[in-house]
Amino acid sequence: MVKSSNTKVTLTINATWFRGIATYGKVMVGDKAFEFYNDRNLNDYVQIPWVEITYVVADVHFHGRYLPRFEIRTRKNGTFIFSTRDNKKALRAIRNYVPSSNLRQALGLWQKLKRRLKS
C-alpha cells in the first residue's frame, strides 16, 4: 500500500492520466504534492512534489469555458498529462501551491503555426 506524502488534502477528484494508454484513477492535491492513484492497480501511482514542478500548462478553448487537459512539467522526470472531471477546480487547487508565474496557457493552433513559419 502506498502512503500519501500529503498531510493535508485540498482536493480529491476522478481523473485520467494520459501516458500512451489512458489510466483512470483519482487525483489528490495536497500540501506536499500532486498525486495520482490508479483505481484498479494500487501499485500504479505518481507523486509529484510541488518543488519538482516547473510549469503547469493548460489547454484553454472557447475563452476559458473548456479546459480539456493540463500538463505538469517537472525538473527531472518530464511531463505528465492529466484530465480531471473538473479541470478548473483542479487548477484552482493547484494554484494554491504553484506560483501563478508558473501556470501557463498552452499555445493555440495559430500560435504554433506562426512559430513554425518564423523559424
Side-chain angles (χ1 to χ4, degrees):
M1 185 71 189
V2 181
K3 185 176 180 184
S4 174
S5 59
N6 291 318
T7 56
K8 180 183 171 190
V9 175
T10 305
L11 176 71
T12 303
I13 192 167
N14 289 333
T16 305
W17 178 14
F18 297 105
R19 55 174 184 170
I21 299 173
T23 305
Y24 302 100
K26 293 207 182 307
V27 158
M28 187 183 304
V29 178
D31 60 341
K32 303 283 185 193
F34 178 91
E35 300 174 337
F36 175 85
Y37 296 100
N38 189 339
D39 281 338
R40 296 184 179 195
N41 184 3
L42 294 177
N43 294 323
D44 187 19
Y45 65 94
V46 63
Q47 295 175 327
I48 307 169
W50 295 122
V51 295
E52 285 294 319
I53 294 175
T54 55
Y55 290 105
V56 176
V57 181
D59 285 336
V60 179
H61 299 283
F62 304 113
H63 303 285
R65 292 188 189 125
Y66 178 59
L67 303 169
R69 68 190 73 82
F70 60 91
E71 175 181 309
I72 294 177
R73 296 181 182 175
T74 61
R75 296 181 196 278
K76 294 179 183 173
N77 297 320
T79 60
F80 300 89
I81 300 172
F82 296 97
S83 178
T84 62
R85 182 142 313 172
D86 188 357
N87 286 325
K88 279 187 181 179
K89 192 175 181 181
L91 289 170
R92 286 182 182 133
I94 291 171
R95 188 173 57 186
N96 294 331
Y97 303 105
V98 175
S100 61
S101 61
N102 295 353
L103 299 174
R104 301 284 168 92
Q105 180 177 346
L107 295 176
L109 175 65
W110 294 114
Q111 292 169 325
K112 288 179 185 175
L113 287 174
K114 282 181 186 175
R115 283 192 177 186
R116 287 277 175 143
L117 294 175
K118 285 183 180 178
S119 61

